[in-house]
Amino acid sequence: MSGNTIGKLFTVTSFGESHGPAIGCIVDGCPPGMALTEADLQEDLDRRKPGTSRHTTQRREADEVRILSGVFEGKTTGTPIGLLIENTDQRSKDYSKIADTFRPGHADYSYQHKYGIRDYRGGGRSSARETAMRVAAGGIAKKYLKEQAGIDIRGYLSQLGPIKIEKVDWSIIDSNPFFCPDADKVADMEAYMDALRKEGESIGARIEVVATNVPPGLGEPIFDRLDADLAHALMSINAVKGVEIGDGFACIDSKGTQFRDEITPDGFLSNHAGGILGGISSGQNVTASIALKPTSSLRLPGRSINLQGEAIEVVTEGRHDPCVGIRATPIAEAMMAIVIMDHLLRHRAQNLNVQSGLPVLR
Amino acid sequence: MSGNTIGKLFTVTSFGESHGPAIGCIVDGCPPGMALTEADLQEDLDRRKPGTSRHTTQRREADEVRILSGVFEGKTTGTPIGLLIENTDQRSKDYSKIADTFRPGHADYSYQHKYGIRDYRGGGRSSARETAMRVAAGGIAKKYLKEQAGIDIRGYLSQLGPIKIEKVDWSIIDSNPFFCPDADKVADMEAYMDALRKEGESIGARIEVVATNVPPGLGEPIFDRLDADLAHALMSINAVKGVEIGDGFACIDSKGTQFRDEITPDGFLSNHAGGILGGISSGQNVTASIALKPTSSLRLPGRSINLQGEAIEVVTEGRHDPCVGIRATPIAEAMMAIVIMDHLLRHRAQNLNVQSGLPVLR
Amino acid sequence: MSGNTIGKLFTVTSFGESHGPAIGCIVDGCPPGMALTEADLQEDLDRRKPGTSRHTTQRREADEVRILSGVFEGKTTGTPIGLLIENTDQRSKDYSKIADTFRPGHADYSYQHKYGIRDYRGGGRSSARETAMRVAAGGIAKKYLKEQAGIDIRGYLSQLGPIKIEKVDWSIIDSNPFFCPDADKVADMEAYMDALRKEGESIGARIEVVATNVPPGLGEPIFDRLDADLAHALMSINAVKGVEIGDGFACIDSKGTQFRDEITPDGFLSNHAGGILGGISSGQNVTASIALKPTSSLRLPGRSINLQGEAIEVVTEGRHDPCVGIRATPIAEAMMAIVIMDHLLRHRAQNLNVQSGLPVLR
Amino acid sequence: MSGNTIGKLFTVTSFGESHGPAIGCIVDGCPPGMALTEADLQEDLDRRKPGTSRHTTQRREADEVRILSGVFEGKTTGTPIGLLIENTDQRSKDYSKIADTFRPGHADYSYQHKYGIRDYRGGGRSSARETAMRVAAGGIAKKYLKEQAGIDIRGYLSQLGPIKIEKVDWSIIDSNPFFCPDADKVADMEAYMDALRKEGESIGARIEVVATNVPPGLGEPIFDRLDADLAHALMSINAVKGVEIGDGFACIDSKGTQFRDEITPDGFLSNHAGGILGGISSGQNVTASIALKPTSSLRLPGRSINLQGEAIEVVTEGRHDPCVGIRATPIAEAMMAIVIMDHLLRHRAQNLNVQSGLPVLR
């Protein structure tokens, strides 16, 4: 299959450029009979939406999603769900000056090499604008997982540049502009971002995503393991440079007795593995962490070349997120939801009626 | 497709259990006309083979691969290449006592939940034994990439528990048991491993893999990005808990001006991105890093449950690698080779004859 | 992948119901740099469009396609092409009375069994309305094949009920309502259809499709043979019950010396095989033939059951094609184009630079 | 995916040449817990095996299949099942003279164009020898369908050249060399074949395959319809030139009132559609029919060219089936079984727990 589809049974196929008339996607494989309205998807879209605080890009997009098919009288029918968002705030002229330049750190240069042509307006297809469709599609998966399997998928920002959270209070995540779960760090983050903006700089971030109540058994070894598919889905998000499952890189300097999660009849004693053993969910929380790089769109000049191969200086004056990680929490949740949904369906297909004889431990 | 196939155009489909009669795979999509013999694949298999030093498992496997199809008069024919390795050192009786126990940190528990049945001998399908086929299949990709595109794929161990390398000397990698590129650290590693073995413990490790001379343009946004597919392939290796592209998690506390790799007519000024921009290779070295957890197979007792859900103590007495990372370098190379090979073919298919008008910069 | 995608490298993913707000599709994998406008696709859409003669349904659909992405400044960019057609003539009330009945010969009954819910308006997803998107997507493939490879794909109606054509004059196909290539049969067909309409009946038809100038080498044995993929694509068209390649069923009573297409240095002496040998194109014309059943939507009453399982009598009063085959020629062409396009890309990927040493014979 | 894999959830990936050391396949996606031994697969392999009567090729192959993985203590484990058959009767020297000639009607010429190289011994990959693996893999599907869903899949030869059967007596099919269900025609067929052999000719045939007790709901519109996937699978069999579902081409001259299968509370009144409506199984018998061409391997000389493009005369003296259709019944059954198995799993995945509220009618 071509590169714009993800999933095997629950598939999302996406299209659209930053400054084209619309972006959209087709969600295929959603089971029939689930109540679904546009409002169900709008909630996460609004969480991702730009322009909701001074810390994100000021591009104004209504990001109103329309369901074009696959839902009849308020319920999914099992047929593909077409989703569409019109691009309303395109301002193409902002971008005309980059037509033959390649912004360093951006996809401009590699797209030009690959295709020999590119829609340079706002990054075209490589713009993070496409992540709106991931959020919309992921919303369908999240709803199904929640309602049919009791699975919750939630995320938060755990690090913004040098500022690391020290505690996780789920109740405050949606009440600050960072999806930060540590109330004591919000003011620091605000101050940091304000200084950064003045400086003209950008910064990286770390996001954690957690799925709770995942049934054991999801994941298809040896290549389509749950962790491998999560790594694929999360690494496919713009600006992501690293993915960890469970303790991730901290495992390197761990010893076996520390790292192996011992089991008792009452449950696991730890969850270093992040809820996945041998590529298959164990029943514990599935946890993943991603690193997002600082955006390369800066008003501080950078060295680059133009289409003629000549040295130039690039200054980006458009509206950009100084920390793309700030808006990435709903996107990461969406990608985890899509992967778990896909594996829930795949697991069912092959392993229906399996009696493991084992208790589900958490 | 089911879980035992990787790739879209250059595909590897794998089968086999640790203690079954044989393991094997089918490599489909290799271009015709390439010289190929079993010896070409044996070299990397021997690099991965157990029992070559006191620091790895003492299981003795000849790991001799047979080519069963797809090669005629010494050349690939374009038809699928069947590969087979007989299991010669099975010693099933070592494993009989774990028939109804679940080793903590292993896939025993999750396989039981998923399938309700498992070949418990040596971990069955979840054993790292299957990685031999990855190495064999990857050998085909490596050879093609090298000969037809000049692409080299090499790896090394960059950290073993607390010991981090400080320099990379490619010439010594294959002359020590760790694939360690820093001659000054080899003695430390040997001492560390000897102590660890006495202790009965295991430890994690970090592997780096680098592809040089990759043409720009490989990778299919937005989901099948080169980095996303590398993350998938690398995370699918047993024991891997984290994947980084380029600087990986270090990007979190980087600023945009530091991280964006500026471009000059003579080349890029840095490679924090790991050779991938917007999911597409830029022409720079493609670099990835993985974290491997310490094995959970220890002779130090661990708490677990049995098939009846009762508390038990598990002691593993078989032959195990105290650091699975030690033998993982050829496996990581193989997975990177498979992914780059797949994307080389995919890129060709859609973008044949594209004239980017751009120089290839490194 | 889920059921609404066709192709491996050149993929079409479709959505939309007969009476929903819109139908659409995503075409992924089109090479960059091809000139493309909506007008290029409109031509075939207009050939398929209902209501152009008294012999087809009188539903009025403008069928105006919009390109939403993947084209920039008039050229394809290599990114997915989103296509959308608004449904303008929906008249839902016509269909309300079939909400809990199952029209015999229709998908109503099987959809209900599969999904437990269905958009009953006009057949919902099972309506032939979705074939408009096939034609639009196929138009992209046809244009590429024509311009880049000189391949022409054309079809005609070769039989309408009892009336068989006796000659093929390509020049008249688009100048009669049947895509009939035999001028001497058009009047017969008109008379036949007029009588049929009065009767309240429907009738089957046969369509032939031919691709000329196909390069040898397309098709991936052993499962994704060119003939197998054509059979899949053509059988997926609504109402198709049979597919033939070349002479098709006539081969049963043929002898080997008759059927094998002998070869001379000047070309093949016959083309019973339909241009495909061993699943791979030979360079001769690729020919296929399909049988379309008579529509089951009739004003003559039929026996059926309702949702309660009770016997009912069904009379269909909507606007229906008495011979769905009449409008099927552009659809069959589109499906053949999509398959050949996909295989052209696949062939390139694996077999670039192959020197067969053989002449291309026709 | 590359061309040697079929299926989405129940997948079969095949390798092997006619005269290589072995042929094999990997069956991925078989549910765990099913009893399976080599004997279960051998039965159909023996039905397909050459040399069992004077009417088929005298090549002697034991065709003994080995299960190399995926079965533990007599039961499937849910992991991939590796199957292998050694080629024992290769006699390569028979074929050396065709090294640089292209037999008319064979894949020699198209393989040479595609790959620039081919294993010419016995047709290499294009030989019908690979169908042994289809039969072995299909045997797994057949067993599962029979035991878990009560679905039976059986076939018969319905026409051999000019001789058409007139009745179907399932009990005699396996007791004559043709899989002929009409006892009155067996002698005619024997006489016909004896004459044909003397003549040096070959002949075509028609096979019917029927699945009974198929649950309603299988098939994924709009592209992966059950009929489309059957057409794909059946057309992928060597020598097949046509596929029909239900009445097939007879629908062309049928009227709507005749063809639509009316429904009553006690069942359908006919089954012209072949058990598939809108691409989804209706619960009626699924019926398909295929046409197999006469083999082109004849001792009667045929005109062709050699690798130098010169005119030559080709005479095939090896051991060949004068009617490949005679041994094709188990192959067609296997392909139908693989498709239905795949769709059974796919249907489950998306539509688990659907309550249609409808009776299952036959």
Side-chain angles (χ1 to χ4, degrees):
Chain A
M1 296 292 169
S2 289
N4 294 280
T5 297
I6 195 165
K8 299 277 166 87
L9 284 183
F10 182 84
T11 62
V12 180
T13 304
S14 164
F15 73 84
E17 277 82 39
S18 173
H19 286 61
I23 58 175
C25 72
I26 302 175
V27 177
D28 200 4
C30 183
M34 181 176 77
L36 187 70
T37 66
E38 281 134 353
D40 293 323
L41 309 181
Q42 202 60 47
E43 191 179 342
D44 272 344
L45 282 169
D46 290 346
R47 290 171 74 216
R48 176 202 161 279
K49 200 165 67 176
T52 55
S53 82
R54 69 183 183 276
H55 305 298
T56 63
T57 172
Q58 296 307 301
R59 175 171 174 161
R60 297 277 164 194
E61 283 291 356
D63 277 0
E64 278 176 17
V65 67
R66 286 174 65 202
I67 296 175
L68 296 179
S69 66
V71 175
F72 181 59
E73 297 180 345
K75 290 198 169 168
T76 59
T77 60
T79 62
I81 302 172
L83 300 178
L84 195 80
I85 295 177
E86 307 273 345
N87 286 329
T88 53
D89 182 13
Q90 305 173 15
R91 292 206 212 166
S92 291
K93 54 198 151 181
D94 287 356
Y95 293 92
S96 59
K97 65 174 68 162
I98 62 166
D100 75 344
T101 69
F102 302 102
R103 295 168 298 166
H106 273 282
D108 303 343
Y109 176 82
S110 54
Y111 267 66
Q112 183 69 27
H113 262 301
K114 185 174 190 67
Y115 302 114
I117 181 177
R118 72 202 158 88
D119 179 348
Y120 51 76
R121 298 167 303 166
R125 183 64 178 154
S126 74
S127 163
R129 175 118 195 85
E130 57 87 358
T131 58
M133 294 322 303
R134 299 179 184 231
V135 170
I140 297 174
K142 274 171 111 172
K143 188 167 196 288
Y144 186 87
L145 292 174
K146 176 71 180 168
E147 294 180 0
Q148 303 295 320
I151 300 171
D152 258 313
I153 294 172
R154 292 178 300 174
Y156 55 86
L157 179 134
S158 61
Q159 189 175 347
L160 185 152
I163 308 169
K164 295 183 193 181
I165 62 156
E166 288 170 62
K167 60 185 180 222
V168 176
D169 175 357
W170 289 103
S171 72
I172 70 152
I173 288 169
D174 281 328
S175 57
N176 68 74
F178 307 107
F179 299 97
C180 171
D182 182 345
D184 299 342
K185 302 292 180 184
V186 173
D188 292 359
M189 290 182 180
E190 301 224 307
Y192 187 87
M193 290 303 298
D194 287 339
L196 194 76
R197 216 163 46 243
K198 269 182 210 151
E199 213 181 328
E201 273 286 9
S202 63
I203 192 72
R206 178 194 282 265
I207 306 283
E208 316 282 332
V209 219
V210 182
T212 53
N213 211 28
V214 177
L218 308 192
E220 303 293 327
I222 60 167
F223 295 120
D224 295 351
R225 291 168 198 247
L226 185 57
D227 40 9
D229 277 2
L230 282 171
H232 173 263
L234 293 169
M235 191 69 92
S236 81
I237 300 172
N238 294 45
V240 172
K241 301 304 291 182
V243 177
E244 296 180 317
I245 303 297
D247 285 5
F249 281 86
C251 76
I252 295 171
D253 197 10
S254 294
K255 289 196 174 170
T257 51
Q258 294 170 281
F259 199 87
R260 61 177 170 180
D261 300 308
E262 291 180 290
I263 315 175
T264 75
D266 299 326
F268 288 86
L269 296 178
S270 56
N271 187 13
H272 299 294
I276 301 176
L277 292 170
I280 300 174
S281 64
S282 66
Q284 291 192 279
N285 285 355
V286 173
T287 63
S289 179
I290 55 174
L292 293 110
K293 69 173 184 178
T295 184
S296 305
S297 300
L298 303 173
R299 61 178 158 81
L300 302 176
R303 300 170 65 178
S304 190
I305 60 167
N306 62 16
L307 196 50
Q308 290 71 42
E310 301 157 341
I312 56 163
E313 197 181 77
V314 173
V315 172
T316 308
E317 277 165 4
R319 303 152 295 162
H320 296 285
D321 287 293
C323 175
V324 293
I326 290 179
R327 289 166 51 208
T329 292
I331 305 167
E333 292 169 1
M335 296 314 292
M336 184 179 266
I338 289 167
V339 171
I340 292 180
M341 179 75 185
D342 192 38
H343 276 286
L344 187 77
L345 300 186
R346 293 176 73 176
H347 177 61
R348 253 183 213 179
Q350 194 189 1
N351 302 297
L352 191 66
N353 300 326
V354 160
Q355 301 294 334
S356 73
L358 280 180
V360 174
L361 303 174
R362 301 290 181 188
Chain B
M1 297 292 170
S2 289
N4 294 279
T5 298
I6 194 165
K8 299 278 166 88
L9 284 183
F10 182 84
T11 61
V12 180
T13 303
S14 164
F15 73 85
E17 277 83 38
S18 174
H19 286 62
I23 58 175
C25 72
I26 302 175
V27 177
D28 200 3
C30 183
M34 179 176 78
L36 187 70
T37 67
E38 280 133 354
D40 293 323
L41 309 182
Q42 201 60 47
E43 191 179 340
D44 272 344
L45 282 168
D46 290 345
R47 290 171 74 215
R48 176 203 161 278
K49 199 165 67 174
T52 56
S53 82
R54 68 182 184 278
H55 306 298
T56 64
T57 170
Q58 295 307 299
R59 175 170 175 161
R60 296 278 165 193
E61 283 291 354
D63 276 0
E64 278 177 16
V65 68
R66 286 174 65 202
I67 296 176
L68 296 178
S69 66
V71 175
F72 181 60
E73 298 180 341
K75 290 198 170 168
T76 58
T77 59
T79 62
I81 302 172
L83 299 177
L84 196 79
I85 295 176
E86 306 275 344
N87 287 330
T88 54
D89 182 13
Q90 303 173 14
R91 293 206 210 168
S92 292
K93 56 197 150 181
D94 287 356
Y95 293 92
S96 60
K97 66 174 68 163
I98 62 165
D100 75 344
T101 69
F102 303 102
R103 296 168 299 167
H106 273 283
D108 303 343
Y109 176 82
S110 55
Y111 267 66
Q112 184 69 27
H113 262 300
K114 185 173 191 68
Y115 302 115
I117 181 177
R118 71 202 158 89
D119 179 349
Y120 51 77
R121 300 167 304 165
R125 182 67 178 152
S126 74
S127 163
R129 176 122 195 82
E130 55 86 0
T131 58
M133 294 322 304
R134 300 179 184 231
V135 170
I140 297 174
K142 272 172 114 172
K143 187 166 196 289
Y144 186 87
L145 291 175
K146 176 71 178 168
E147 295 180 358
Q148 303 296 320
I151 300 172
D152 259 313
I153 293 171
R154 293 179 300 175
Y156 55 84
L157 179 134
S158 60
Q159 188 175 348
L160 185 152
I163 308 168
K164 296 183 192 180
I165 62 157
E166 288 170 61
K167 60 186 179 218
V168 176
D169 175 356
W170 289 103
S171 73
I172 71 153
I173 287 169
D174 281 328
S175 57
N176 69 74
F178 308 106
F179 300 96
C180 172
D182 182 345
D184 299 341
K185 301 293 181 184
V186 173
D188 292 358
M189 289 181 180
E190 300 222 310
Y192 187 88
M193 290 303 298
D194 287 339
L196 193 77
R197 215 162 48 242
K198 268 184 210 148
E199 212 183 327
E201 271 287 7
S202 63
I203 193 70
R206 177 195 282 264
I207 306 283
E208 315 282 333
V209 219
V210 182
T212 52
N213 211 27
V214 177
L218 308 192
E220 303 293 328
I222 58 167
F223 295 121
D224 295 351
R225 292 167 194 245
L226 184 57
D227 42 7
D229 278 1
L230 282 171
H232 174 262
L234 293 168
M235 191 69 91
S236 80
I237 301 172
N238 294 45
V240 172
K241 302 303 292 181
V243 177
E244 295 180 318
I245 302 297
D247 286 4
F249 281 86
C251 75
I252 295 172
D253 196 12
S254 295
K255 288 197 173 170
T257 51
Q258 295 171 281
F259 199 88
R260 62 177 171 180
D261 300 308
E262 290 179 292
I263 316 175
T264 75
D266 299 326
F268 287 87
L269 297 178
S270 56
N271 186 14
H272 300 293
I276 301 176
L277 292 170
I280 300 174
S281 64
S282 66
Q284 292 193 279
N285 285 355
V286 173
T287 64
S289 178
I290 56 175
L292 293 109
K293 70 172 183 179
T295 182
S296 305
S297 300
L298 303 172
R299 61 177 158 79
L300 301 176
R303 300 168 67 178
S304 189
I305 60 167
N306 62 16
L307 196 49
Q308 291 70 44
E310 301 157 340
I312 57 165
E313 196 181 78
V314 174
V315 172
T316 307
E317 279 165 4
R319 303 152 294 162
H320 296 285
D321 288 294
C323 175
V324 293
I326 290 179
R327 289 165 54 207
T329 293
I331 307 167
E333 291 170 3
M335 296 315 292
M336 184 180 266
I338 290 167
V339 170
I340 292 180
M341 179 76 184
D342 192 39
H343 276 286
L344 187 76
L345 300 186
R346 294 176 73 175
H347 177 60
R348 256 182 210 176
Q350 195 190 0
N351 301 297
L352 190 67
N353 300 326
V354 159
Q355 302 294 333
S356 72
L358 279 181
V360 174
L361 303 174
R362 301 290 182 188
Chain C
M1 297 296 169
S2 288
N4 294 279
T5 298
I6 195 165
K8 298 279 165 88
L9 284 183
F10 182 83
T11 61
V12 180
T13 304
S14 163
F15 73 85
E17 276 83 39
S18 173
H19 287 61
I23 58 176
C25 73
I26 302 176
V27 177
D28 200 4
C30 183
M34 179 175 79
L36 188 70
T37 66
E38 280 133 354
D40 292 323
L41 310 181
Q42 201 60 48
E43 191 180 340
D44 271 344
L45 282 168
D46 289 346
R47 290 171 74 216
R48 176 202 161 279
K49 202 165 65 176
T52 55
S53 82
R54 70 181 181 277
H55 305 299
T56 65
T57 170
Q58 297 307 300
R59 175 171 174 162
R60 296 277 165 193
E61 283 291 354
D63 277 359
E64 278 176 17
V65 68
R66 285 174 66 203
I67 297 176
L68 297 178
S69 66
V71 176
F72 181 60
E73 297 181 343
K75 290 197 170 168
T76 58
T77 60
T79 62
I81 302 171
L83 300 177
L84 195 80
I85 296 176
E86 307 274 345
N87 286 330
T88 53
D89 183 13
Q90 305 173 14
R91 292 205 212 168
S92 291
K93 55 198 151 179
D94 288 354
Y95 292 93
S96 59
K97 65 174 68 162
I98 62 166
D100 74 343
T101 69
F102 303 101
R103 296 167 299 167
H106 274 282
D108 303 344
Y109 175 82
S110 55
Y111 267 66
Q112 183 69 26
H113 262 301
K114 184 173 191 67
Y115 301 115
I117 180 177
R118 69 200 159 90
D119 179 348
Y120 51 77
R121 298 167 304 166
R125 182 66 179 154
S126 74
S127 163
R129 175 118 195 84
E130 57 87 0
T131 58
M133 293 323 304
R134 301 178 183 232
V135 170
I140 297 174
K142 272 172 114 172
K143 187 167 196 289
Y144 185 88
L145 292 174
K146 176 71 180 169
E147 295 180 359
Q148 303 295 319
I151 300 170
D152 259 312
I153 294 171
R154 293 179 299 174
Y156 54 85
L157 179 134
S158 60
Q159 189 175 348
L160 185 152
I163 308 167
K164 296 183 192 180
I165 62 158
E166 287 171 63
K167 61 184 179 221
V168 176
D169 174 356
W170 289 103
S171 72
I172 70 152
I173 288 169
D174 282 327
S175 57
N176 69 75
F178 306 107
F179 300 97
C180 171
D182 182 345
D184 298 342
K185 301 292 179 182
V186 173
D188 292 358
M189 291 182 181
E190 300 223 311
Y192 187 86
M193 289 303 299
D194 287 339
L196 194 75
R197 217 163 43 244
K198 266 182 213 151
E199 212 182 328
E201 272 286 10
S202 62
I203 193 71
R206 177 194 282 264
I207 306 284
E208 315 283 332
V209 218
V210 182
T212 52
N213 211 28
V214 177
L218 308 192
E220 304 291 328
I222 57 166
F223 296 120
D224 295 351
R225 292 167 196 247
L226 184 57
D227 41 8
D229 278 2
L230 282 171
H232 173 263
L234 293 169
M235 191 70 91
S236 81
I237 300 172
N238 295 43
V240 172
K241 302 304 291 181
V243 177
E244 296 180 317
I245 303 296
D247 285 5
F249 281 86
C251 75
I252 296 172
D253 197 11
S254 294
K255 289 196 173 171
T257 50
Q258 296 171 280
F259 199 87
R260 62 177 171 181
D261 301 307
E262 291 180 291
I263 316 176
T264 75
D266 299 326
F268 288 86
L269 296 178
S270 56
N271 186 14
H272 300 292
I276 300 177
L277 292 170
I280 300 174
S281 63
S282 66
Q284 290 192 279
N285 285 355
V286 173
T287 63
S289 177
I290 56 176
L292 294 108
K293 70 173 184 178
T295 184
S296 305
S297 301
L298 303 172
R299 62 177 158 80
L300 301 176
R303 298 169 68 178
S304 190
I305 60 168
N306 62 16
L307 195 50
Q308 290 71 44
E310 301 157 340
I312 56 166
E313 197 181 77
V314 174
V315 172
T316 307
E317 279 167 3
R319 304 151 294 162
H320 296 284
D321 287 294
C323 175
V324 293
I326 290 179
R327 288 166 54 207
T329 292
I331 306 168
E333 292 169 1
M335 295 315 291
M336 183 178 266
I338 289 168
V339 170
I340 292 180
M341 179 75 185
D342 192 38
H343 277 286
L344 186 76
L345 300 186
R346 293 176 73 176
H347 177 61
R348 258 183 208 177
Q350 195 190 358
N351 302 298
L352 190 67
N353 300 326
V354 159
Q355 301 294 334
S356 73
L358 280 180
V360 174
L361 302 173
R362 302 290 181 187
Chain D
M1 298 292 169
S2 289
N4 294 279
T5 298
I6 195 165
K8 299 278 166 87
L9 284 182
F10 182 84
T11 62
V12 180
T13 304
S14 163
F15 74 84
E17 275 83 41
S18 174
H19 286 62
I23 58 174
C25 72
I26 302 176
V27 177
D28 201 3
C30 182
M34 179 176 79
L36 188 70
T37 66
E38 279 133 354
D40 292 324
L41 309 181
Q42 201 61 47
E43 192 179 339
D44 271 344
L45 282 168
D46 289 346
R47 291 170 73 216
R48 176 203 162 279
K49 201 166 64 174
T52 54
S53 82
R54 70 183 183 278
H55 306 298
T56 64
T57 170
Q58 296 308 300
R59 174 170 174 161
R60 295 279 166 194
E61 284 291 355
D63 276 359
E64 277 176 19
V65 68
R66 286 174 65 204
I67 296 176
L68 296 178
S69 66
V71 175
F72 182 59
E73 298 180 342
K75 290 198 169 166
T76 58
T77 60
T79 62
I81 301 171
L83 300 177
L84 196 80
I85 295 177
E86 307 274 344
N87 286 330
T88 54
D89 183 13
Q90 304 172 14
R91 292 206 210 167
S92 292
K93 56 199 151 179
D94 287 357
Y95 293 94
S96 59
K97 66 175 67 162
I98 61 164
D100 74 343
T101 68
F102 302 101
R103 297 167 298 167
H106 273 282
D108 304 343
Y109 175 82
S110 54
Y111 267 66
Q112 184 69 27
H113 262 299
K114 184 174 190 67
Y115 302 115
I117 181 177
R118 70 201 160 89
D119 179 348
Y120 50 77
R121 299 167 304 167
R125 182 65 178 155
S126 74
S127 163
R129 175 118 194 85
E130 56 86 358
T131 58
M133 294 323 304
R134 300 179 184 231
V135 170
I140 297 175
K142 271 172 115 171
K143 187 167 196 289
Y144 185 88
L145 292 175
K146 176 70 179 168
E147 294 179 0
Q148 303 296 320
I151 300 170
D152 258 313
I153 294 171
R154 293 179 299 174
Y156 55 85
L157 179 135
S158 60
Q159 189 175 346
L160 186 151
I163 308 168
K164 295 184 193 180
I165 62 157
E166 288 170 63
K167 61 184 176 220
V168 176
D169 174 355
W170 289 103
S171 72
I172 71 152
I173 288 170
D174 282 327
S175 56
N176 69 74
F178 307 107
F179 300 96
C180 171
D182 182 344
D184 298 343
K185 302 291 179 182
V186 173
D188 293 358
M189 289 182 182
E190 300 223 310
Y192 187 86
M193 289 304 298
D194 287 338
L196 194 75
R197 216 161 46 243
K198 268 182 212 150
E199 210 183 330
E201 271 286 9
S202 63
I203 193 70
R206 177 194 283 264
I207 306 283
E208 314 282 333
V209 220
V210 181
T212 53
N213 211 26
V214 176
L218 308 192
E220 303 292 328
I222 58 165
F223 296 119
D224 295 351
R225 291 167 197 245
L226 184 57
D227 40 9
D229 278 2
L230 283 171
H232 173 262
L234 294 169
M235 190 69 91
S236 80
I237 300 172
N238 294 46
V240 172
K241 301 304 291 181
V243 177
E244 295 181 316
I245 303 296
D247 285 4
F249 281 85
C251 75
I252 295 171
D253 197 12
S254 294
K255 290 199 174 168
T257 50
Q258 296 171 281
F259 199 87
R260 61 175 170 181
D261 301 307
E262 290 179 291
I263 315 175
T264 74
D266 299 326
F268 288 86
L269 296 179
S270 56
N271 186 14
H272 300 292
I276 301 176
L277 293 170
I280 300 174
S281 64
S282 66
Q284 291 192 281
N285 286 355
V286 173
T287 64
S289 179
I290 56 176
L292 293 109
K293 70 173 185 178
T295 184
S296 307
S297 301
L298 303 172
R299 63 179 157 78
L300 302 176
R303 299 169 65 178
S304 190
I305 60 168
N306 62 17
L307 196 50
Q308 291 70 43
E310 301 158 341
I312 57 167
E313 197 181 80
V314 174
V315 171
T316 307
E317 278 167 3
R319 303 152 295 163
H320 296 283
D321 288 293
C323 175
V324 295
I326 290 179
R327 290 165 53 208
T329 292
I331 306 167
E333 291 170 2
M335 295 315 291
M336 184 179 266
I338 288 167
V339 170
I340 292 180
M341 179 75 184
D342 192 38
H343 276 286
L344 188 75
L345 300 187
R346 292 176 75 174
H347 177 61
R348 255 183 212 177
Q350 194 190 0
N351 302 297
L352 190 66
N353 300 326
V354 159
Q355 302 294 335
S356 74
L358 280 179
V360 174
L361 303 174
R362 303 288 182 190

